[in-house]
């Protein structure tokens, strides 16, 4: 258990610092949004976010959870006078979560309000035998066999074939991270992007949602780009914008370093509260053990990160009137109604 705690502390430090290498080569930012697909509240927030990035920051590159060739078709549709291309894409999407009138309306709003948007797709080759094949035919008819677009479409189609042959969700998670990083690196120096993906791929601290064996896409990107990646899980009201922020806190007369893990919007979830921010207080467990318990517990399912025994957490609640309440918890192996929980203590 001590080894696990050390590994987790090392992970937090790694996430808090911008990694060298790729991040040094591309100085732009990645603004990542996790959604529940076709959820109106998520789509509304995404459109508002894109409006700000488009008009205030001059961004044009919007990365979406589709194959690259689907995004290329959408770029052709953005320049077309009618919706024939989008209609054909939606025919190919029948039976998926993307085949939804709300999704159609969302992209129509993009075309009408933000006409210079350029779509990029980072997923494996879904619909490779329909959309993908049709895209290759179009390239062949225009003399583009062997072009960069041809090679890219072939590569993504092979990804799709591999995924549907094996059903390997770890493979897909890794490929999505690789594809997104390659797109980001291919853009001009300093270009920033917005990313829309499923909420399961957006948690900076979670493992993949099916096997739990590799970091999810956002976690892998955070290891590569550090603070250049900002993420929000719109489905859970979670923002990682402050992740990696550091503050000093005093426990038992000693100062310890607290690292912010993220913030959750509590509006509509907890009356009287706006939000709560989670902090890991590094190396403070022994001091925390000597402080009296308050009788309060916080189930581990509340946290944004995996909770390891032997860690100390600081949770700062912001109330509706703007005031703040700070509470401290130690992970000492306690349970609440049969589930793992952290124990509140008086700091």
């Amino acid at each position: 258990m001590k080894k696990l705690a050390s590994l987790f502390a090392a992970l937090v430090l790694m996430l808090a610092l911008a990694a060298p290498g790729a991040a040094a080569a591309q100085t732009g930012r990645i603004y990542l949004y996790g959604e529940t697909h076709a959820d109106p509240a998520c789509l509304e927030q995404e459109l508002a976010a894109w409006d700000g990035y488009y008009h205030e920051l001059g961004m044009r590159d919007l990365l979406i959870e589709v194959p690259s060739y689907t995004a290329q078709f959408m770029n052709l549709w953005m320049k077309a006078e009618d919706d024939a291309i989008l209609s054909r894409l939606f025919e190919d999407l029948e039976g998926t979560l993307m085949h939804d009138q709300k999704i159609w309306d969302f992209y129509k709003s993009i075309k009408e309000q933000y006409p210079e948007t350029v779509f990029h797709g980072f997923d494996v080759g879904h619909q490779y035998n329909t959309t993908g094949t049709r895209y290759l035919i179009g390239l062949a008819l225009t003399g583009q066999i062997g072009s960069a677009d041809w090679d890219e479409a072939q590569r993504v189609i092979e990804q799709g074939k591999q995924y549907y042959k094996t059903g390997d969700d770890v493979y897909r998670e890794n490929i999505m991270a690789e594809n997104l990083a390659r797109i980001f690196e291919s853009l001009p120096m300093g270009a920033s992007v917005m990313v829309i993906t499923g909420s399961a791929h957006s948690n900076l601290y979670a493992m993949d949602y099916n096997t739990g064996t590799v970091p999810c896409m956002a976690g892998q990107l955070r290891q590569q780009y550090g603070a250049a990646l900002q993420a929000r899980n719109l489905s859970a009201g979670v923002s990682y914008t402050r992740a990696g922020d550091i503050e000093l806190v005093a426990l038992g007369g000693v100062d310890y370093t607290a690292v912010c893990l993220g913030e959750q919007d509590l509006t509509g979830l907890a009356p009287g509260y706006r939000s709560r921010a989670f902090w890991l207080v590094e190396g403070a467990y022994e001091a925390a053990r000597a402080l009296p318990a308050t009788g309060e517990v916080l189930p581990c399912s509340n946290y944004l990160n995996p909770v390891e025994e032997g860690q100390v957490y600081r949770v700062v609640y912001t109330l509706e009137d703007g005031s703040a309440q700070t509470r401290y918890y130690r992970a000492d192996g306690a349970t609440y109604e049969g589930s793992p929980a952290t124990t509140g203590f008086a700091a």
Side-chain angles (χ1 to χ4, degrees):
M1 188 61 68
K2 187 175 181 180
K3 181 179 179 181
L4 286 174
S6 298
L7 286 173
F8 179 63
L11 173 63
V12 170
L13 284 175
M14 177 174 62
L15 293 175
L17 299 174
Q26 168 56 280
T27 58
R29 288 184 174 270
I30 300 173
Y31 300 95
L32 188 147
Y33 291 79
E35 66 171 15
T36 298
H37 295 311
D39 178 76
C42 291
L43 294 172
E44 181 180 356
Q45 292 178 75
E46 289 160 2
L47 199 63
W50 186 236
D51 182 90
Y53 295 138
Y54 188 94
H55 290 299
E56 297 173 20
L57 299 184
M59 286 166 49
R60 294 296 182 266
D61 298 292
L62 181 57
L63 280 59
I64 55 178
E65 193 179 304
V66 300
S68 61
Y69 44 77
T70 301
Q72 290 288 49
F73 269 129
M74 293 182 68
N75 289 330
L76 293 173
W77 164 68
M78 289 287 287
K79 300 175 183 177
E81 294 182 356
D82 57 30
D83 294 327
I85 295 174
L86 187 63
S87 294
R88 187 60 189 273
L89 288 177
F90 263 70
E91 290 177 12
D92 295 346
L93 291 169
E94 187 171 359
T96 73
L97 293 174
M98 296 291 287
H99 190 263
D100 190 288
Q101 183 63 44
K102 294 184 289 293
I103 300 292
W104 174 281
D105 294 342
F106 175 80
Y107 286 115
K108 283 284 290 182
S109 295
I110 294 286
K111 181 174 182 176
E112 294 167 2
Q113 300 175 37
Y114 317 103
E116 295 178 16
T117 297
V118 178
F119 292 106
H120 303 269
F122 57 87
D123 208 343
V124 299
H126 303 300
Q127 297 83 44
Y128 62 82
N129 58 343
T130 52
T131 309
T133 298
R134 191 165 66 253
Y135 188 69
L136 287 179
I137 292 172
L139 291 178
L141 292 176
T142 54
Q144 298 185 66
I145 294 177
S147 66
D149 282 349
W150 175 273
D151 291 342
E152 170 67 10
Q154 290 278 22
R155 183 181 62 80
V156 174
I157 285 173
E158 289 304 314
Q159 292 174 356
K161 291 179 178 179
Q162 175 69 15
Y163 174 66
Y164 284 101
K165 178 181 178 180
T166 64
D168 188 347
D169 288 298
V170 169
Y171 170 80
R172 181 184 175 221
E173 202 76 37
N174 292 339
I175 288 296
M176 288 171 67
E178 291 175 12
N179 287 348
L180 198 154
R182 182 169 49 254
I183 293 167
F184 185 52
E185 293 298 318
S186 72
L187 297 174
M189 181 69 72
S192 294
V193 302
M194 177 174 161
V195 178
I196 298 175
T197 189
S199 60
H201 309 295
S202 67
N203 190 326
L204 296 186
Y205 308 107
M207 307 299 278
D208 72 285
Y209 67 102
N210 275 320
T211 73
T213 57
V214 299
C216 76
M217 182 186 75
Q220 294 185 38
L221 293 170
R222 182 69 180 206
Q223 293 176 25
Q224 187 170 356
Y225 294 107
L229 170 67
Q230 295 187 12
R232 291 177 181 269
N233 181 343
L234 298 177
S235 300
V238 175
S239 170
Y240 297 100
T241 302
R242 297 178 60 194
D245 286 359
I246 293 175
E247 291 184 2
L248 290 179
V249 298
L251 294 178
V254 178
D255 285 340
Y256 295 91
T257 299
V259 180
C260 185
L261 302 175
E263 194 168 15
Q264 182 181 24
D265 185 357
L266 296 179
T267 306
L269 298 176
Y273 293 88
R274 289 183 186 173
S275 64
R276 60 180 173 180
F278 293 85
W279 299 74
L280 172 69
V281 186
E282 298 177 315
Y285 185 69
E286 291 303 318
R289 287 179 61 187
L291 297 173
T294 61
E296 182 183 7
V297 297
L298 185 65
C300 294
S301 58
N302 282 259
Y303 289 83
L304 309 181
N305 58 286
V307 174
E308 294 290 348
E309 191 170 337
Q311 297 290 350
V312 173
Y313 297 94
R314 174 184 182 230
V315 183
V316 181
Y317 290 86
T318 300
L319 281 63
E320 287 182 347
D321 62 8
S323 62
Q325 294 178 352
T326 300
R327 299 171 188 171
Y328 288 88
Y329 301 90
R330 58 188 179 228
D332 52 11
T335 60
Y336 176 72
E337 296 184 347
S339 298
T342 55
T343 301
F345 65 91

